[in-house]
Amino acid sequence: MLLGITAPLAAAYLAEMAMNFTDMVIVGRLGSLEFAAVGLAANLFVSLLLISMGVVSIVGVLAAHAHGGGDDAAAGLGVVQGLWVATALALPIMALCWYMAPLLRLMGQDAAVVPFAEDYLRAVLWGVLPYLWFTVLRNFVAALARAGSVMVITVAAVFLNLLATYTLVFGKFGFPALGVAGAGYGTALVSWAMFAALALHVVRAPGFRAYAPFRRLGRLDPPLIRQILRLGAPVAGITAVEAGLFSSVTVLMGLFGATALAAHQVATAFASLVFMVPLGLSQAAAIRVAHGLGRGSVAAARQAGRLGIVLGAAFMAVMAAAMWTAPDAIVALFLDTADPANAEVLALAAVLLGIAAVFQIVDGVQVIAVGALRGLRDTTAPLLVGLLGYWGVGLTGGWLLAFPLGMGGPGLWLGVAFGLAVAAVLLSWRFQARTGALMRADRRPAAPSAQRGE
């Protein structure tokens, strides 16, 4: 069951990465300024979106818990409240995207890049609302172990996004050429199509009829909304903390020059691709742990979390072996290895990939442990662990190794890898301790008065 949920979710995450990749490839044909602007704007946009998606991811946990307990009505009601929360979160993101240009200027961004970034953001913001709605439904169908539809829709969206972006950027098939803005509008249109397709599937598929979430759209449940926000806010926080870590590492790598930054981009690009599998496992673990609790079996919940962590570590170990044994082949996916001008980048990228091999194993473990704890509705402790591991140990240690101790880029990566290892150990221990406490509570005999029915 765990793998049955993981496979379509991981495929969907990979497809979403492919959409971003095709946008960059198409816009790159307009020129380097346009390419840089969309890269900058898309990173900011995706970061804001991911933080909000962290909040609404709790819908999947609540739905899985209700499903495990046989309460279909509660699962459907959770979806309705998730859609309302998503709507409330979308509005400030859209406003921020509309007024992002002055903020970019304050951050010292190139004056020639800012207008193109503004064009993109003011177009793509119209996709925020449908994409967050799609995320709510995606978590719901995954909670019911019916995530195959998500994979089909997302893979189809890759091709639709390619067509829409190409058409609107260059003005094909009778449409006007919108340039950079066309890439934003194309992504927004595809977001609406993805939500519409998944909503239609939820309405029409027999397996979802008992939940009937769209029949109660006008019903607000303030306590349930507060629960989603209370549990989801720390999830959003840990997403922001981790995204901030890697953004900071990128900025610090840039201080070592273009060669170090290029090598860093090669290593992180491959690492990000591989990371989609444990990310899918993390969501699957959250769902199966919550389902186990919902049906009153802490043992099943613990088994699901442990299995997810073991599978994630095993997969990442295989990927680590590939990084150790064939770094040149990985670098060749991104750069021309025969070009002498790339020699320094190739050498440094090989070193970073060796460090990333260790980095990947512990990164996979920690993200799955976060998901397993989310299934227990334990979201605040992972945020605190993330702050300690990612920033307190990882970034601080990386800075010390890179700058005062003179190890450069490899030192920065070693520090981050150690910080992630600390987080992986603490989060795995936390899951073990929490499930152990719940199991002991289940075995504790009832009070005498309760046994007599008093």
Side-chain angles (χ1 to χ4, degrees):
M1 184 65 75
L2 190 72
L3 290 177
I5 299 173
T6 300
L9 289 177
Y13 291 139
L14 288 169
E16 288 171 4
M17 287 189 66
M19 283 191 278
N20 292 331
F21 178 76
T22 55
D23 279 355
M24 298 300 294
V25 169
I26 291 171
V27 170
R29 296 179 60 185
L30 295 174
S32 58
L33 278 178
E34 291 87 344
F35 181 81
V38 171
L40 172 66
N43 281 333
L44 292 171
F45 176 75
V46 169
S47 296
L48 292 172
L49 208 57
L50 285 173
I51 292 169
S52 299
M53 289 166 65
V55 177
V56 298
S57 70
I58 293 300
V59 170
V61 172
L62 298 179
H65 190 275
H67 177 56
D71 192 345
D72 295 347
L77 183 60
V79 176
V80 173
Q81 307 315 304
L83 292 171
W84 280 109
V85 170
T87 303
L89 293 172
L91 298 178
I93 294 177
M94 294 172 70
L96 190 56
C97 288
W98 187 266
Y99 294 106
M100 184 67 77
L103 296 176
L104 293 176
R105 294 188 183 97
L106 286 174
M107 289 189 289
Q109 297 301 311
D110 192 319
V113 168
V114 172
F116 290 117
E118 182 179 44
D119 287 345
Y120 178 81
L121 287 168
R122 289 191 170 186
V124 77
L125 67 84
W126 303 109
V128 173
L129 189 59
Y131 198 82
L132 289 180
W133 286 344
F134 172 80
T135 302
V136 172
L137 295 183
R138 177 174 67 186
N139 281 279
F140 169 60
V141 300
L144 304 186
R146 299 175 182 272
S149 56
V150 174
M151 180 180 67
V152 172
I153 290 169
T154 312
V155 171
V158 174
F159 298 98
L160 180 60
N161 185 72
L162 177 63
L163 176 63
T165 301
Y166 175 75
T167 299
L168 296 175
V169 168
F170 298 112
K172 303 297 182 180
F173 311 115
F175 287 88
L178 301 177
V180 165
Y185 284 123
T187 299
L189 286 171
V190 171
S191 297
W192 279 104
M194 291 169 68
F195 166 68
L198 190 53
L200 184 63
H201 176 66
V202 169
V203 169
R204 296 178 61 89
F208 300 112
R209 287 176 185 166
Y211 303 92
F214 294 113
R215 293 179 191 169
R216 294 175 286 178
L217 280 176
R219 180 180 172 184
L220 286 175
D221 188 322
L224 187 51
I225 289 176
R226 286 194 295 271
Q227 184 178 30
I228 292 172
L229 293 173
R230 178 176 58 82
L231 295 173
V235 178
I238 197 169
T239 302
V241 166
E242 189 167 8
L245 168 68
F246 288 103
S247 296
S248 299
V249 169
T250 300
V251 171
L252 291 174
M253 286 295 291
L255 299 179
F256 295 110
T259 296
L261 188 59
H264 170 78
Q265 295 291 5
V266 168
T268 52
F270 186 78
S272 298
L273 185 68
V274 172
F275 187 69
M276 294 302 104
V277 173
L279 189 61
L281 269 169
S282 177
Q283 187 173 349
I287 288 167
R288 295 308 300 168
V289 168
H291 185 272
L293 288 185
R295 64 187 180 92
S297 176
V298 180
R302 171 182 267 194
Q303 182 182 27
R306 283 177 170 178
L307 181 60
I309 291 170
V310 170
L311 289 174
F315 173 79
M316 294 305 244
V318 172
M319 294 297 101
M323 293 181 186
W324 279 321
T325 58
D328 292 343
I330 294 171
V331 175
L333 296 172
F334 303 93
L335 296 172
D336 182 3
T337 56
D339 187 347
N342 292 331
E344 289 186 48
V345 176
L346 297 176
L348 182 55
V351 173
L352 295 183
L353 282 169
I355 300 171
V358 178
F359 169 112
Q360 285 288 84
I361 295 173
V362 293
D363 198 18
V365 169
Q366 67 89 24
V367 77
I368 297 167
V370 167
L373 286 167
R374 190 181 309 161
L376 297 177
R377 304 190 185 189
D378 183 356
T379 56
T380 301
L383 172 58
L384 298 176
V385 170
L387 286 168
L388 172 65
Y390 305 159
W391 288 82
V393 177
L395 191 62
T396 302
W399 180 84
L400 288 171
L401 291 172
F403 295 97
L405 297 180
M407 293 180 64
L412 188 59
W413 272 59
L414 281 170
V416 172
F418 185 64
L420 288 170
V422 169
V425 170
L426 291 177
L427 290 166
S428 299
W429 171 83
R430 173 78 176 180
F431 177 75
Q432 185 76 5
R434 284 297 307 275
T435 52
L438 290 172
M439 292 175 74
R440 288 192 296 273
D442 280 352
R443 290 194 296 266
R444 191 175 301 140
S449 58
Q451 291 176 345
R452 291 193 301 267
E454 295 178 6

